[in-house]
Amino acid sequence: MAQDDCLFCKIAKGEVPAEIVRESERTVAFRDINPQAPTHVLVIPRDHYPNAAEAAAADAGLLDEIVREAHEVAAEEGVVDLGYRLVFNTGSGAGQTVFHLHGHVLGGRGMEWPPG
Ligand code: 5GP
Ligand code: ZN
Protein backbone atom coordinates (compact mmCIF):
# COMPACT_ATOMS: atom_id res chain seq x y z
CA MET A 1 0.00 0.00 0.00
CA ALA A 2 1.22 3.50 -0.78
CA GLN A 3 1.45 6.16 1.89
CA ASP A 4 0.17 9.55 0.77
CA ASP A 5 2.96 11.72 2.17
CA CYS A 6 5.85 9.41 1.23
CA LEU A 7 8.39 10.70 -1.31
CA PHE A 8 9.43 7.25 -2.53
CA CYS A 9 5.81 6.09 -2.90
CA LYS A 10 5.39 9.13 -5.16
CA ILE A 11 8.51 8.21 -7.16
CA ALA A 12 7.23 4.62 -7.50
CA LYS A 13 3.90 5.92 -8.82
CA GLY A 14 5.57 8.40 -11.21
CA GLU A 15 4.16 11.42 -9.34
CA VAL A 16 7.67 12.73 -8.52
CA PRO A 17 10.26 12.52 -11.30
CA ALA A 18 13.38 10.39 -10.92
CA GLU A 19 15.98 8.91 -13.26
CA ILE A 20 14.69 5.37 -13.32
CA VAL A 21 17.26 2.79 -14.44
CA ARG A 22 15.33 -0.45 -13.95
CA GLU A 23 11.87 -1.68 -12.99
CA SER A 24 10.33 -4.99 -12.06
CA GLU A 25 6.79 -5.91 -11.13
CA ARG A 26 7.41 -5.13 -7.47
CA THR A 27 10.46 -2.82 -7.52
CA VAL A 28 11.80 0.42 -9.00
CA ALA A 29 15.48 1.45 -9.21
CA PHE A 30 16.46 5.08 -9.70
CA ARG A 31 19.57 7.26 -9.34
CA ASP A 32 20.14 8.94 -5.99
CA ILE A 33 19.73 12.72 -6.24
CA ASN A 34 22.91 13.23 -4.19
CA PRO A 35 25.26 10.47 -5.38
CA GLN A 36 28.00 9.30 -3.02
CA ALA A 37 29.79 7.18 -5.64
CA PRO A 38 30.01 7.03 -9.46
CA THR A 39 27.15 4.52 -9.28
CA HIS A 40 24.55 5.32 -6.63
CA VAL A 41 21.16 3.81 -7.33
CA LEU A 42 18.28 3.22 -4.91
CA VAL A 43 16.18 0.06 -5.23
CA ILE A 44 12.74 0.35 -3.63
CA PRO A 45 9.62 -1.79 -3.44
CA ARG A 46 6.48 -0.31 -4.99
CA ASP A 47 4.71 -1.14 -1.72
CA HIS A 48 5.44 0.98 1.33
CA TYR A 49 7.49 -0.55 4.14
CA PRO A 50 9.43 1.69 6.53
CA ASN A 51 12.59 -0.44 6.52
CA ALA A 52 14.09 -3.78 5.47
CA ALA A 53 13.23 -5.63 8.67
CA GLU A 54 9.54 -4.70 8.49
CA ALA A 55 9.40 -5.72 4.84
CA ALA A 56 11.08 -9.05 5.60
CA ALA A 57 8.62 -9.72 8.42
CA ALA A 58 5.55 -8.86 6.35
CA ASP A 59 6.38 -9.86 2.79
CA ALA A 60 8.34 -13.07 2.21
CA GLY A 61 10.38 -12.87 -0.98
CA LEU A 62 10.40 -9.10 -1.39
CA LEU A 63 13.88 -8.58 0.02
CA ASP A 64 15.22 -11.33 -2.25
CA GLU A 65 13.81 -9.47 -5.22
CA ILE A 66 15.39 -6.22 -4.08
CA VAL A 67 18.78 -7.93 -3.73
CA ARG A 68 18.41 -9.54 -7.18
CA GLU A 69 17.44 -6.21 -8.72
CA ALA A 70 20.34 -4.48 -6.95
CA HIS A 71 22.72 -7.01 -8.47
CA GLU A 72 21.21 -6.50 -11.93
CA VAL A 73 21.67 -2.74 -11.53
CA ALA A 74 25.31 -3.30 -10.51
CA ALA A 75 25.83 -5.54 -13.54
CA GLU A 76 24.25 -3.01 -15.90
CA GLU A 77 26.43 -0.27 -14.40
CA GLY A 78 29.55 -2.44 -14.82
CA VAL A 79 30.56 -2.37 -11.16
CA VAL A 80 30.30 -6.07 -10.25
CA ASP A 81 33.94 -6.94 -10.94
CA LEU A 82 35.31 -4.13 -8.78
CA GLY A 83 32.67 -4.85 -6.14
CA TYR A 84 29.72 -2.86 -4.95
CA ARG A 85 28.05 -2.15 -1.66
CA LEU A 86 24.34 -2.73 -0.93
CA VAL A 87 23.23 -0.72 2.12
CA PHE A 88 19.94 -0.63 4.02
CA ASN A 89 20.12 2.18 6.56
CA THR A 90 17.66 1.42 9.37
CA GLY A 91 16.80 4.22 11.80
CA SER A 92 17.86 7.84 11.93
CA GLY A 93 20.97 7.05 13.98
CA ALA A 94 22.17 4.91 11.08
CA GLY A 95 21.53 7.70 8.59
CA GLN A 96 18.05 6.77 7.37
CA THR A 97 16.26 9.92 6.20
CA VAL A 98 13.53 8.47 3.96
CA PHE A 99 11.32 5.94 5.75
CA HIS A 100 10.37 3.87 2.71
CA LEU A 101 12.62 0.84 2.35
CA HIS A 102 15.47 1.42 -0.10
CA GLY A 103 18.68 -0.41 -0.85
CA HIS A 104 21.58 1.84 -1.81
CA VAL A 105 23.68 0.31 -4.62
CA LEU A 106 27.07 2.05 -4.38
CA GLY A 107 29.92 1.28 -6.75
CA GLY A 108 32.52 2.52 -9.18
CA ARG A 109 35.10 3.46 -6.56
CA GLY A 110 36.96 1.77 -3.73
CA MET A 111 34.97 1.53 -0.48
CA GLU A 112 36.40 1.88 2.99
CA TRP A 113 35.55 -0.21 6.02
CA PRO A 114 34.27 0.53 8.60
CA PRO A 115 31.78 2.96 7.03
CA GLY A 116 31.45 6.40 8.59
P1 5GP B 1 18.73 7.27 3.51
O1 5GP B 1 19.52 8.44 4.09
O2 5GP B 1 17.29 7.29 4.00
O3 5GP B 1 19.39 5.94 3.67
O4 5GP B 1 18.70 7.51 1.95
C1 5GP B 1 17.83 8.38 1.33
C2 5GP B 1 18.46 8.74 0.01
O5 5GP B 1 17.46 9.32 -0.79
C3 5GP B 1 19.60 9.77 0.12
O6 5GP B 1 20.79 9.20 -0.39
C4 5GP B 1 19.11 10.96 -0.69
O7 5GP B 1 20.14 11.57 -1.42
C5 5GP B 1 18.06 10.33 -1.59
N1 5GP B 1 16.99 11.23 -1.97
C6 5GP B 1 16.30 12.08 -1.15
N2 5GP B 1 15.36 12.74 -1.85
C7 5GP B 1 15.45 12.29 -3.14
C8 5GP B 1 14.71 12.61 -4.33
O8 5GP B 1 13.78 13.42 -4.36
N3 5GP B 1 15.09 11.95 -5.46
C9 5GP B 1 16.10 11.03 -5.47
N4 5GP B 1 16.38 10.46 -6.66
N5 5GP B 1 16.79 10.71 -4.37
C10 5GP B 1 16.47 11.33 -3.21
ZN1 ZN C 1 6.46 4.95 0.74
Side-chain angles (χ1 to χ4, degrees), residues 22-24 27 29 43 64-74 105:
R22 194 176 164 84
E23 293 188 77
S24 72
T27 70
V43 183
D64 312 34
E65 187 166 338
I66 288 173
V67 172
R68 280 195 299 272
E69 288 298 307
H71 186 73
E72 291 302 322
V73 167
V105 182

mmCIF file with all atom_site columns, all heavy atoms in Angstrom, residues 22-24 27 29 43 64-74 105:
data_model
loop_
_atom_site.group_PDB
_atom_site.id
_atom_site.type_symbol
_atom_site.label_atom_id
_atom_site.label_alt_id
_atom_site.label_comp_id
_atom_site.label_asym_id
_atom_site.label_entity_id
_atom_site.label_seq_id
_atom_site.pdbx_PDB_ins_code
_atom_site.Cartn_x
_atom_site.Cartn_y
_atom_site.Cartn_z
_atom_site.occupancy
_atom_site.B_iso_or_equiv
_atom_site.pdbx_formal_charge
_atom_site.auth_seq_id
_atom_site.auth_comp_id
_atom_site.auth_asym_id
_atom_site.auth_atom_id
_atom_site.pdbx_PDB_model_num
ATOM 1   N N   . ARG A 1 22  ? 15.800 0.934   -13.847 1.00 0.00 ? 22  ARG A N   1
ATOM 2   C CA  . ARG A 1 22  ? 15.333 -0.449  -13.950 1.00 0.00 ? 22  ARG A CA  1
ATOM 3   C C   . ARG A 1 22  ? 14.026 -0.593  -13.184 1.00 0.00 ? 22  ARG A C   1
ATOM 4   O O   . ARG A 1 22  ? 13.836 0.055   -12.158 1.00 0.00 ? 22  ARG A O   1
ATOM 5   C CB  . ARG A 1 22  ? 16.401 -1.348  -13.317 1.00 0.00 ? 22  ARG A CB  1
ATOM 6   C CG  . ARG A 1 22  ? 16.260 -2.790  -13.611 1.00 0.00 ? 22  ARG A CG  1
ATOM 7   C CD  . ARG A 1 22  ? 17.388 -3.639  -13.054 1.00 0.00 ? 22  ARG A CD  1
ATOM 8   N NE  . ARG A 1 22  ? 16.904 -5.007  -13.079 1.00 0.00 ? 22  ARG A NE  1
ATOM 9   C CZ  . ARG A 1 22  ? 16.969 -5.792  -14.147 1.00 0.00 ? 22  ARG A CZ  1
ATOM 10  N NH1 . ARG A 1 22  ? 17.553 -5.398  -15.243 1.00 0.00 ? 22  ARG A NH1 1
ATOM 11  N NH2 . ARG A 1 22  ? 16.451 -7.007  -14.119 1.00 0.00 ? 22  ARG A NH2 1
ATOM 12  N N   . GLU A 1 23  ? 13.132 -1.432  -13.692 1.00 0.00 ? 23  GLU A N   1
ATOM 13  C CA  . GLU A 1 23  ? 11.868 -1.677  -12.985 1.00 0.00 ? 23  GLU A CA  1
ATOM 14  C C   . GLU A 1 23  ? 11.552 -3.158  -13.050 1.00 0.00 ? 23  GLU A C   1
ATOM 15  O O   . GLU A 1 23  ? 11.892 -3.840  -14.011 1.00 0.00 ? 23  GLU A O   1
ATOM 16  C CB  . GLU A 1 23  ? 10.713 -0.914  -13.659 1.00 0.00 ? 23  GLU A CB  1
ATOM 17  C CG  . GLU A 1 23  ? 10.822 0.594   -13.549 1.00 0.00 ? 23  GLU A CG  1
ATOM 18  C CD  . GLU A 1 23  ? 9.564  1.290   -14.063 1.00 0.00 ? 23  GLU A CD  1
ATOM 19  O OE1 . GLU A 1 23  ? 8.562  1.291   -13.327 1.00 0.00 ? 23  GLU A OE1 1
ATOM 20  O OE2 . GLU A 1 23  ? 9.584  1.791   -15.194 1.00 0.00 ? 23  GLU A OE2 1
ATOM 21  N N   . SER A 1 24  ? 10.906 -3.648  -12.013 1.00 0.00 ? 24  SER A N   1
ATOM 22  C CA  . SER A 1 24  ? 10.325 -4.994  -12.057 1.00 0.00 ? 24  SER A CA  1
ATOM 23  C C   . SER A 1 24  ? 8.893  -4.854  -11.564 1.00 0.00 ? 24  SER A C   1
ATOM 24  O O   . SER A 1 24  ? 8.456  -3.755  -11.205 1.00 0.00 ? 24  SER A O   1
ATOM 25  C CB  . SER A 1 24  ? 11.129 -5.976  -11.193 1.00 0.00 ? 24  SER A CB  1
ATOM 26  O OG  . SER A 1 24  ? 10.926 -5.722  -9.818  1.00 0.00 ? 24  SER A OG  1
ATOM 27  N N   . THR A 1 27  ? 9.386  -3.731  -7.929  1.00 0.00 ? 27  THR A N   1
ATOM 28  C CA  . THR A 1 27  ? 10.458 -2.816  -7.517  1.00 0.00 ? 27  THR A CA  1
ATOM 29  C C   . THR A 1 27  ? 10.726 -1.742  -8.568  1.00 0.00 ? 27  THR A C   1
ATOM 30  O O   . THR A 1 27  ? 10.406 -1.913  -9.747  1.00 0.00 ? 27  THR A O   1
ATOM 31  C CB  . THR A 1 27  ? 11.786 -3.571  -7.250  1.00 0.00 ? 27  THR A CB  1
ATOM 32  O OG1 . THR A 1 27  ? 12.310 -4.035  -8.496  1.00 0.00 ? 27  THR A OG1 1
ATOM 33  C CG2 . THR A 1 27  ? 11.588 -4.744  -6.303  1.00 0.00 ? 27  THR A CG2 1
ATOM 34  N N   . ALA A 1 29  ? 14.111 1.021   -9.519  1.00 0.00 ? 29  ALA A N   1
ATOM 35  C CA  . ALA A 1 29  ? 15.484 1.446   -9.214  1.00 0.00 ? 29  ALA A CA  1
ATOM 36  C C   . ALA A 1 29  ? 15.734 2.780   -9.904  1.00 0.00 ? 29  ALA A C   1
ATOM 37  O O   . ALA A 1 29  ? 15.464 2.930   -11.100 1.00 0.00 ? 29  ALA A O   1
ATOM 38  C CB  . ALA A 1 29  ? 16.486 0.400   -9.697  1.00 0.00 ? 29  ALA A CB  1
ATOM 39  N N   . VAL A 1 43  ? 17.167 1.069   -4.826  1.00 0.00 ? 43  VAL A N   1
ATOM 40  C CA  . VAL A 1 43  ? 16.181 0.060   -5.233  1.00 0.00 ? 43  VAL A CA  1
ATOM 41  C C   . VAL A 1 43  ? 15.096 0.026   -4.172  1.00 0.00 ? 43  VAL A C   1
ATOM 42  O O   . VAL A 1 43  ? 15.385 -0.208  -2.987  1.00 0.00 ? 43  VAL A O   1
ATOM 43  C CB  . VAL A 1 43  ? 16.817 -1.332  -5.385  1.00 0.00 ? 43  VAL A CB  1
ATOM 44  C CG1 . VAL A 1 43  ? 15.764 -2.337  -5.875  1.00 0.00 ? 43  VAL A CG1 1
ATOM 45  C CG2 . VAL A 1 43  ? 18.012 -1.290  -6.336  1.00 0.00 ? 43  VAL A CG2 1
ATOM 46  N N   . ASP A 1 64  ? 14.443 -10.578 -1.244  1.00 0.00 ? 64  ASP A N   1
ATOM 47  C CA  . ASP A 1 64  ? 15.222 -11.332 -2.247  1.00 0.00 ? 64  ASP A CA  1
ATOM 48  C C   . ASP A 1 64  ? 15.166 -10.613 -3.582  1.00 0.00 ? 64  ASP A C   1
ATOM 49  O O   . ASP A 1 64  ? 16.160 -10.511 -4.304  1.00 0.00 ? 64  ASP A O   1
ATOM 50  C CB  . ASP A 1 64  ? 14.657 -12.736 -2.490  1.00 0.00 ? 64  ASP A CB  1
ATOM 51  C CG  . ASP A 1 64  ? 14.352 -13.522 -1.258  1.00 0.00 ? 64  ASP A CG  1
ATOM 52  O OD1 . ASP A 1 64  ? 13.945 -12.925 -0.246  1.00 0.00 ? 64  ASP A OD1 1
ATOM 53  O OD2 . ASP A 1 64  ? 14.501 -14.754 -1.306  1.00 0.00 ? 64  ASP A OD2 1
ATOM 54  N N   . GLU A 1 65  ? 13.976 -10.137 -3.922  1.00 0.00 ? 65  GLU A N   1
ATOM 55  C CA  . GLU A 1 65  ? 13.810 -9.469  -5.216  1.00 0.00 ? 65  GLU A CA  1
ATOM 56  C C   . GLU A 1 65  ? 14.613 -8.164  -5.247  1.00 0.00 ? 65  GLU A C   1
ATOM 57  O O   . GLU A 1 65  ? 15.228 -7.833  -6.262  1.00 0.00 ? 65  GLU A O   1
ATOM 58  C CB  . GLU A 1 65  ? 12.326 -9.208  -5.496  1.00 0.00 ? 65  GLU A CB  1
ATOM 59  C CG  . GLU A 1 65  ? 12.098 -8.676  -6.897  1.00 0.00 ? 65  GLU A CG  1
ATOM 60  C CD  . GLU A 1 65  ? 10.637 -8.714  -7.330  1.00 0.00 ? 65  GLU A CD  1
ATOM 61  O OE1 . GLU A 1 65  ? 9.861  -9.498  -6.757  1.00 0.00 ? 65  GLU A OE1 1
ATOM 62  O OE2 . GLU A 1 65  ? 10.293 -7.950  -8.248  1.00 0.00 ? 65  GLU A OE2 1
ATOM 63  N N   . ILE A 1 66  ? 14.618 -7.463  -4.131  1.00 0.00 ? 66  ILE A N   1
ATOM 64  C CA  . ILE A 1 66  ? 15.389 -6.216  -4.081  1.00 0.00 ? 66  ILE A CA  1
ATOM 65  C C   . ILE A 1 66  ? 16.884 -6.514  -4.243  1.00 0.00 ? 66  ILE A C   1
ATOM 66  O O   . ILE A 1 66  ? 17.587 -5.817  -4.983  1.00 0.00 ? 66  ILE A O   1
ATOM 67  C CB  . ILE A 1 66  ? 15.076 -5.451  -2.779  1.00 0.00 ? 66  ILE A CB  1
ATOM 68  C CG1 . ILE A 1 66  ? 13.658 -4.878  -2.880  1.00 0.00 ? 66  ILE A CG1 1
ATOM 69  C CG2 . ILE A 1 66  ? 16.101 -4.358  -2.503  1.00 0.00 ? 66  ILE A CG2 1
ATOM 70  C CD1 . ILE A 1 66  ? 13.143 -4.234  -1.629  1.00 0.00 ? 66  ILE A CD1 1
ATOM 71  N N   . VAL A 1 67  ? 17.360 -7.575  -3.596  1.00 0.00 ? 67  VAL A N   1
ATOM 72  C CA  . VAL A 1 67  ? 18.777 -7.932  -3.728  1.00 0.00 ? 67  VAL A CA  1
ATOM 73  C C   . VAL A 1 67  ? 19.081 -8.364  -5.169  1.00 0.00 ? 67  VAL A C   1
ATOM 74  O O   . VAL A 1 67  ? 20.108 -7.979  -5.739  1.00 0.00 ? 67  VAL A O   1
ATOM 75  C CB  . VAL A 1 67  ? 19.155 -9.030  -2.713  1.00 0.00 ? 67  VAL A CB  1
ATOM 76  C CG1 . VAL A 1 67  ? 20.568 -9.543  -2.965  1.00 0.00 ? 67  VAL A CG1 1
ATOM 77  C CG2 . VAL A 1 67  ? 19.034 -8.496  -1.279  1.00 0.00 ? 67  VAL A CG2 1
ATOM 78  N N   . ARG A 1 68  ? 18.196 -9.134  -5.779  1.00 0.00 ? 68  ARG A N   1
ATOM 79  C CA  . ARG A 1 68  ? 18.415 -9.540  -7.181  1.00 0.00 ? 68  ARG A CA  1
ATOM 80  C C   . ARG A 1 68  ? 18.435 -8.321  -8.090  1.00 0.00 ? 68  ARG A C   1
ATOM 81  O O   . ARG A 1 68  ? 19.288 -8.198  -8.975  1.00 0.00 ? 68  ARG A O   1
ATOM 82  C CB  . ARG A 1 68  ? 17.296 -10.503 -7.649  1.00 0.00 ? 68  ARG A CB  1
ATOM 83  C CG  . ARG A 1 68  ? 17.468 -11.936 -7.211  1.00 0.00 ? 68  ARG A CG  1
ATOM 84  C CD  . ARG A 1 68  ? 16.553 -12.878 -8.010  1.00 0.00 ? 68  ARG A CD  1
ATOM 85  N NE  . ARG A 1 68  ? 15.146 -12.567 -7.835  1.00 0.00 ? 68  ARG A NE  1
ATOM 86  C CZ  . ARG A 1 68  ? 14.390 -13.069 -6.856  1.00 0.00 ? 68  ARG A CZ  1
ATOM 87  N NH1 . ARG A 1 68  ? 14.912 -13.885 -5.963  1.00 0.00 ? 68  ARG A NH1 1
ATOM 88  N NH2 . ARG A 1 68  ? 13.109 -12.749 -6.764  1.00 0.00 ? 68  ARG A NH2 1
ATOM 89  N N   . GLU A 1 69  ? 17.488 -7.420  -7.894  1.00 0.00 ? 69  GLU A N   1
ATOM 90  C CA  . GLU A 1 69  ? 17.435 -6.212  -8.724  1.00 0.00 ? 69  GLU A CA  1
ATOM 91  C C   . GLU A 1 69  ? 18.682 -5.350  -8.506  1.00 0.00 ? 69  GLU A C   1
ATOM 92  O O   . GLU A 1 69  ? 19.224 -4.781  -9.450  1.00 0.00 ? 69  GLU A O   1
ATOM 93  C CB  . GLU A 1 69  ? 16.161 -5.419  -8.422  1.00 0.00 ? 69  GLU A CB  1
ATOM 94  C CG  . GLU A 1 69  ? 14.901 -6.067  -8.959  1.00 0.00 ? 69  GLU A CG  1
ATOM 95  C CD  . GLU A 1 69  ? 14.911 -6.182  -10.481 1.00 0.00 ? 69  GLU A CD  1
ATOM 96  O OE1 . GLU A 1 69  ? 15.127 -5.166  -11.161 1.00 0.00 ? 69  GLU A OE1 1
ATOM 97  O OE2 . GLU A 1 69  ? 14.707 -7.293  -10.985 1.00 0.00 ? 69  GLU A OE2 1
ATOM 98  N N   . ALA A 1 70  ? 19.125 -5.246  -7.244  1.00 0.00 ? 70  ALA A N   1
ATOM 99  C CA  . ALA A 1 70  ? 20.338 -4.476  -6.951  1.00 0.00 ? 70  ALA A CA  1
ATOM 100 C C   . ALA A 1 70  ? 21.527 -5.057  -7.711  1.00 0.00 ? 70  ALA A C   1
ATOM 101 O O   . ALA A 1 70  ? 22.339 -4.329  -8.285  1.00 0.00 ? 70  ALA A O   1
ATOM 102 C CB  . ALA A 1 70  ? 20.610 -4.480  -5.449  1.00 0.00 ? 70  ALA A CB  1
ATOM 103 N N   . HIS A 1 71  ? 21.608 -6.378  -7.751  1.00 0.00 ? 71  HIS A N   1
ATOM 104 C CA  . HIS A 1 71  ? 22.722 -7.010  -8.474  1.00 0.00 ? 71  HIS A CA  1
ATOM 105 C C   . HIS A 1 71  ? 22.613 -6.763  -9.978  1.00 0.00 ? 71  HIS A C   1
ATOM 106 O O   . HIS A 1 71  ? 23.624 -6.527  -10.651 1.00 0.00 ? 71  HIS A O   1
ATOM 107 C CB  . HIS A 1 71  ? 22.779 -8.507  -8.171  1.00 0.00 ? 71  HIS A CB  1
ATOM 108 C CG  . HIS A 1 71  ? 23.987 -9.153  -8.763  1.00 0.00 ? 71  HIS A CG  1
ATOM 109 N ND1 . HIS A 1 71  ? 25.253 -8.968  -8.245  1.00 0.00 ? 71  HIS A ND1 1
ATOM 110 C CD2 . HIS A 1 71  ? 24.133 -9.915  -9.865  1.00 0.00 ? 71  HIS A CD2 1
ATOM 111 C CE1 . HIS A 1 71  ? 26.130 -9.620  -9.002  1.00 0.00 ? 71  HIS A CE1 1
ATOM 112 N NE2 . HIS A 1 71  ? 25.475 -10.198 -9.993  1.00 0.00 ? 71  HIS A NE2 1
ATOM 113 N N   . GLU A 1 72  ? 21.395 -6.804  -10.506 1.00 0.00 ? 72  GLU A N   1
ATOM 114 C CA  . GLU A 1 72  ? 21.213 -6.504  -11.933 1.00 0.00 ? 72  GLU A CA  1
ATOM 115 C C   . GLU A 1 72  ? 21.609 -5.064  -12.243 1.00 0.00 ? 72  GLU A C   1
ATOM 116 O O   . GLU A 1 72  ? 22.222 -4.789  -13.276 1.00 0.00 ? 72  GLU A O   1
ATOM 117 C CB  . GLU A 1 72  ? 19.760 -6.758  -12.364 1.00 0.00 ? 72  GLU A CB  1
ATOM 118 C CG  . GLU A 1 72  ? 19.359 -8.215  -12.381 1.00 0.00 ? 72  GLU A CG  1
ATOM 119 C CD  . GLU A 1 72  ? 20.236 -9.059  -13.301 1.00 0.00 ? 72  GLU A CD  1
ATOM 120 O OE1 . GLU A 1 72  ? 20.625 -8.568  -14.381 1.00 0.00 ? 72  GLU A OE1 1
ATOM 121 O OE2 . GLU A 1 72  ? 20.549 -10.198 -12.918 1.00 0.00 ? 72  GLU A OE2 1
ATOM 122 N N   . VAL A 1 73  ? 21.259 -4.137  -11.357 1.00 0.00 ? 73  VAL A N   1
ATOM 123 C CA  . VAL A 1 73  ? 21.672 -2.737  -11.532 1.00 0.00 ? 73  VAL A CA  1
ATOM 124 C C   . VAL A 1 73  ? 23.206 -2.671  -11.550 1.00 0.00 ? 73  VAL A C   1
ATOM 125 O O   . VAL A 1 73  ? 23.812 -2.042  -12.431 1.00 0.00 ? 73  VAL A O   1
ATOM 126 C CB  . VAL A 1 73  ? 21.113 -1.840  -10.407 1.00 0.00 ? 73  VAL A CB  1
ATOM 127 C CG1 . VAL A 1 73  ? 21.799 -0.478  -10.401 1.00 0.00 ? 73  VAL A CG1 1
ATOM 128 C CG2 . VAL A 1 73  ? 19.605 -1.684  -10.554 1.00 0.00 ? 73  VAL A CG2 1
ATOM 129 N N   . ALA A 1 74  ? 23.843 -3.326  -10.584 1.00 0.00 ? 74  ALA A N   1
ATOM 130 C CA  . ALA A 1 74  ? 25.310 -3.300  -10.508 1.00 0.00 ? 74  ALA A CA  1
ATOM 131 C C   . ALA A 1 74  ? 25.919 -3.871  -11.788 1.00 0.00 ? 74  ALA A C   1
ATOM 132 O O   . ALA A 1 74  ? 26.902 -3.332  -12.318 1.00 0.00 ? 74  ALA A O   1
ATOM 133 C CB  . ALA A 1 74  ? 25.781 -4.073  -9.278  1.00 0.00 ? 74  ALA A CB  1
ATOM 134 N N   . VAL A 1 105 ? 22.657 1.026   -3.862  1.00 0.00 ? 105 VAL A N   1
ATOM 135 C CA  . VAL A 1 105 ? 23.680 0.315   -4.624  1.00 0.00 ? 105 VAL A CA  1
ATOM 136 C C   . VAL A 1 105 ? 24.791 1.320   -4.908  1.00 0.00 ? 105 VAL A C   1
ATOM 137 O O   . VAL A 1 105 ? 24.583 2.295   -5.640  1.00 0.00 ? 105 VAL A O   1
ATOM 138 C CB  . VAL A 1 105 ? 23.131 -0.229  -5.959  1.00 0.00 ? 105 VAL A CB  1
ATOM 139 C CG1 . VAL A 1 105 ? 24.219 -1.000  -6.701  1.00 0.00 ? 105 VAL A CG1 1
ATOM 140 C CG2 . VAL A 1 105 ? 21.904 -1.101  -5.729  1.00 0.00 ? 105 VAL A CG2 1
#
